[in-house]
Amino acid sequence: MKEIYMDNNATSRVADEVVEAMLPFFSEQYGNASSMHEFGGQVQRHINKARESVAQLLGAADPGEIIFTSCGTESDNTALFSALRSYPERRHIVTTRVEHPAVLNTTRYLQSQGYQATYLAVDGEGMIDLEELRSAVTENTAVVSVMHANNETGVIFPVDKAAEIAAARGAVFHTDAVQSAGKLPLDLKRSNIDMLSLSGHKLHAPKGIGALYVRKGTRFVPFMMGGHQEHGRRAGTENAPYIVGLGKACELARKNVETENTAVKALRDRLEKELLSRISNAKVNGGKSPRLPNTTNISFEFVEGEAILLMLSDLGIAASSGSACTSGSLEPSHVLRAMGVPFTFAHGSIRFSLSVYNTAAEVDFVLEKIPAIIERLRRISPFGKNGKRPQEAGVCREN
Amino acid sequence: MWDYTMKVQDHFRHPRNVGNIPDANAVGEVGNMVCGDALKLYLKVDEKTRKILDAKFETFGCASAIASSSALTEVVKGMTLEEAAKVTNQQIAEYLGGLPEEKMHCSVMGMEALEAAIKSYGAGGKPVTHEEPEGKVICKCFGVTEEKIRKTVAENRLRTVADVTNFTKAGGGCGKCKGEIQRILDDMLGNKPSAAPPEAFSQLTMVRKIHAVEEALAREIAPNLLADGGSIELVDIQGSVIKVRLAGMCRSCPSSGVTLKSFVEKKLRELLDPAITVEQAE
């Protein structure tokens, strides 16, 4: 059975070119980049080249603004802790209710350590309100962290404008761009964004490598203590093969940004439009907001997401869901709940996230199979018979 | 991904008894769409013999909710209402060869729908919705009362807050009630009257051991196996190791190993001695 992979916001296939670029750094050029000998020193030059490639993708002014980390989560943690330690007199964090757990749970932890936090709301289309941000940021705010694009819905936040608001109050502005890097054009030298997180495995590099952009002049306190690597900003021997891989992936991503916004977007649009026309009681979450070109989050009413996913999985189709049964928390996704998506829809949400590796034939196959799956599960379901919607009453909390 | 048994996967992919029974004389409902799972159980009961002639279901929920509902209908078909009233959530889970711990609440939902359906029969067949036991609501996210937690803890011998969440969902939302759940557990585990019989099993003479085991098998275990067309006999006792032979339908049942450990052994430990081990006789 051929796998049809439409879960690229979870992780992506490592590009062949990336694997090829990485291989020499395992058993041939395995020197330590910090060594004085040429055997290690040559590795440093490859790392620098990768740094340039990441800087180019992000539109950074200087490769020295890129710090390699182990993953997006490390980048996010580093950014938040650095801002708070750099401005100890400021005790307030502003973020959103729909951030990735790497930011959300870190902020909650910081609250337990005595910091204050404001979580910006989103509207029914998953969009934040810049006016709410403007009134939330004060002279006491150390850091504003607003994601560039949401992983579940693909909704894009106006981070350039948000960064201006933060800058006006002297707060550090951080954005988690794990989902958007390589999918949206970025030009950091022309923005007020101080820090930006990126993850390798979302853009066809392997898992276990990430990067943090830190604008020149931004106060910085390292998260990892130890050696002098990365100019003393991130201790730990450089993960040369993976850094080279990330560099290659960023080089490819730069070429592919246009394809993402034309060919991949066309596949996504067709998938979404056809699903809505072939299946009743379906709706797109965040569909009226600007969105990533590869992502669609569709809710099918009266059925439950995990059941849909397993039936898709039987056909070799990989997607994901915001249903309670898949979240591990017994409650549906925090993003859909923040958007006020009714529970009748939230439990049946399916996210398809495409990549440049998807084909029109794959989209056709998915379109051919899903209606019958939804139909089958709706036949089993006690709800939605004769199009009737149950009252959204019950003991479960609605917030 | 969940580690579902083959039987769960089979009952999810090919659920038995889906649909409704237009002339059902017992209908039980549990859950709602807000909570993420709901089950409507239809029974056709013979008015003379009180036997369940047919059972069907409609379920909104994940794979294990669908599989548990399917299993429930298969388990109760052919039982009298009195027999059905004794069906536990463990039996539903065992029928499926076990459920992931986090999904045990699906089997509890099945048992609750059955209880509601039996009430419905008594009420002239009018559909009855399962109601949480009255009392103080501990988990506000899922509306779980202290009584339900206590009942589920006792019936399933739960020990940790995570167990309680897996079986009742309580504590699985915002998590603020976890402290209170722990207090309930402390109370129950701390003050629980000793389950051990007055005389320790290991101190009994062989003849009395045999009597004790035979009686437990006959009274508590054989009737449940009989429902699946199985039976059990005592073969030998060596110290605290009890050797039994499963017969009838149990012999060819692929999950007989599960039955032996998670039902027979569990029950004997409960009734006689926590040190007991049950083994299949060669």
Side-chain angles (χ1 to χ4, degrees), chain A residues 224-295:
Chain A
M224 299 270 265
M225 310 296 160
H228 58 273
Q229 292 88 352
E230 299 292 283
H231 296 284
R233 293 178 301 176
R234 201 277 188 179
T237 300
E238 299 88 343
N239 185 358
Y242 284 68
I243 289 173
V244 168
L246 178 60
K248 188 69 184 179
C250 287
E251 190 187 314
L252 296 171
R254 216 167 133 238
K255 288 183 203 152
N256 280 336
V257 169
E258 205 191 316
T259 316
E260 291 273 0
N261 287 280
T262 51
V264 177
K265 182 174 185 296
L267 291 180
R268 189 278 310 266
D269 288 346
R270 178 169 142 70
L271 176 66
E272 185 171 284
K273 193 169 146 258
E274 284 297 314
L275 284 176
L276 290 179
S277 83
R278 293 180 196 194
I279 299 167
S280 65
N281 297 75
K283 76 178 198 94
V284 175
N285 298 310
K288 294 194 178 78
S289 292
R291 278 183 303 156
L292 291 176
N294 75 319
T295 307

Side-chain angles (χ1 to χ4, degrees), chain A residues 273-389:
Chain A
K273 193 169 146 258
E274 284 297 314
L275 284 176
L276 290 179
S277 83
R278 293 180 196 194
I279 299 167
S280 65
N281 297 75
K283 76 178 198 94
V284 175
N285 298 310
K288 294 194 178 78
S289 292
R291 278 183 303 156
L292 291 176
N294 75 319
T295 307
T296 179
N297 186 311
I298 306 189
S299 282
F300 302 103
E301 209 178 6
F302 311 126
V303 289
E304 197 280 330
E306 184 202 292
I308 304 174
L309 288 187
L310 291 184
M311 287 194 173
L312 287 173
S313 180
D314 283 348
L315 298 166
I317 301 167
S320 67
S321 167
S323 87
C325 288
T326 55
S327 71
S329 76
L330 295 177
E331 288 195 321
S333 120
H334 70 287
V335 176
L336 300 182
R337 279 185 292 139
M339 290 165 68
V341 173
F343 275 81
T344 57
F345 279 99
H347 287 295
S349 77
I350 300 290
R351 177 189 71 186
F352 296 97
S353 47
L354 280 55
S355 82
V356 292
Y357 293 111
N358 287 116
T359 65
E362 288 178 337
V363 169
D364 287 339
F365 182 78
V366 173
L367 284 173
E368 183 196 317
K369 297 297 180 189
I370 293 191
I373 290 175
I374 304 296
E375 172 62 36
R376 218 172 124 196
L377 288 170
R378 280 186 180 164
R379 254 202 321 271
I380 299 175
S381 174
F383 303 127
K385 300 282 188 267
N386 320 316
K388 267 207 303 209
R389 183 168 289 137

Side-chain angles (χ1 to χ4, degrees), chain A residues 302-304 306-307 310-311 314 325 329-331 343-344 347 376 380-383 385 392-397, chain B residues 1-2 4 12-13 15 32-36 38 58-63 103 105 140-142 165 169 172-174:
Chain A
F302 311 126
V303 289
E304 197 280 330
E306 184 202 292
L310 291 184
M311 287 194 173
D314 283 348
C325 288
S329 76
L330 295 177
E331 288 195 321
F343 275 81
T344 57
H347 287 295
R376 218 172 124 196
I380 299 175
S381 174
F383 303 127
K385 300 282 188 267
E392 204 154 291
V395 287
C396 287
R397 181 183 52 161
Chain B
M1 222 177 152
W2 300 110
Y4 287 133
F12 163 61
R13 292 196 180 100
N32 60 59
M33 198 191 262
V34 179
C35 288
E58 291 173 331
T59 288
F60 166 79
C62 58
K103 297 285 192 178
H105 60 86
K140 294 190 175 66
C141 298
F142 291 104
T165 304
K169 289 193 175 186
C174 70

Side-chain angles (χ1 to χ4, degrees), chain A residues 16-39:
Chain A
D16 294 341
E17 297 91 325
V18 169
V19 176
E20 201 187 326
M22 289 171 67
L23 287 177
F25 295 88
F26 287 104
S27 40
E28 293 159 32
Q29 302 176 62
Y30 55 83
N32 188 323
S34 302
S35 299
M36 278 302 119
H37 43 72
E38 173 59 16
F39 186 62

Side-chain angles (χ1 to χ4, degrees), chain A residues 72-145:
Chain A
T73 295
E74 187 195 323
S75 299
D76 287 339
N77 272 267
T78 304
L80 295 180
F81 278 87
S82 169
L84 294 170
R85 287 168 181 162
S86 299
Y87 296 91
E89 69 287 1
R90 293 175 178 240
R91 309 284 299 167
H92 181 224
I93 307 159
V94 177
T95 185
T96 77
R97 285 176 65 185
V98 298
E99 292 297 309
H100 187 275
V103 169
L104 209 52
N105 288 339
T106 306
T107 306
R108 286 189 191 131
Y109 166 76
L110 288 163
Q111 268 182 295
S112 76
Q113 299 301 300
Y115 292 93
Q116 295 165 308
T118 304
Y119 300 91
L120 302 176
V122 293
D123 65 16
E125 294 297 328
M127 184 53 75
I128 54 165
D129 177 1
L130 288 175
E131 288 315 307
E132 191 193 353
L133 173 64
R134 207 183 300 280
S135 51
V137 185
T138 68
E139 306 296 326
N140 189 34
T141 306
V143 59
V144 176
S145 183

Side-chain angles (χ1 to χ4, degrees), chain B residues 51-146:
Chain B
K51 264 201 173 176
I52 298 171
L53 303 174
D54 197 10
K56 289 199 169 183
F57 77 93
E58 291 173 331
T59 288
F60 166 79
C62 58
S64 61
I66 291 170
S68 296
S69 309
S70 170
L72 168 70
T73 54
E74 290 286 278
V75 167
V76 300
K77 265 206 254 182
M79 281 185 176
T80 63
L81 288 181
E82 288 65 34
E83 287 163 341
K86 288 189 208 132
V87 169
T88 64
N89 68 292
Q90 291 97 323
Q91 266 173 283
I92 299 170
E94 276 155 23
Y95 181 90
L96 292 167
L99 281 171
E101 278 295 308
E102 296 86 343
K103 297 285 192 178
M104 283 302 287
H105 60 86
C106 295
S107 67
V108 174
M109 185 171 80
M111 183 181 69
E112 290 172 345
L114 180 59
E115 285 169 6
I118 293 169
K119 270 190 207 154
S120 153
Y121 183 78
K126 221 177 79 183
V128 168
T129 302
H130 166 78
E131 280 184 18
E132 291 288 315
E134 289 280 314
K136 184 181 166 201
V137 175
I138 302 292
C139 170
K140 294 190 175 66
C141 298
F142 291 104
V144 186
T145 60
E146 177 160 353

Side-chain angles (χ1 to χ4, degrees), chain A residues 163-224:
Chain A
E164 279 172 33
I165 294 169
R169 297 293 174 103
V172 172
F173 185 84
H174 165 254
T175 186
D176 177 334
V178 161
Q179 293 296 343
S180 60
K183 294 179 193 127
L184 301 175
L186 283 161
D187 198 5
L188 289 175
K189 58 184 170 297
R190 277 187 240 287
S191 90
N192 280 306
I193 294 168
D194 298 308
M195 296 202 236
L196 176 145
S197 300
L198 175 152
S199 166
H201 74 106
K202 311 287 192 191
L203 45 85
H204 307 296
K207 294 146 193 75
I209 185 72
L212 177 67
Y213 160 88
V214 182
R215 172 183 299 283
K216 231 178 207 169
T218 305
R219 287 196 209 170
F220 186 81
V221 178
F223 188 65
M224 299 270 265

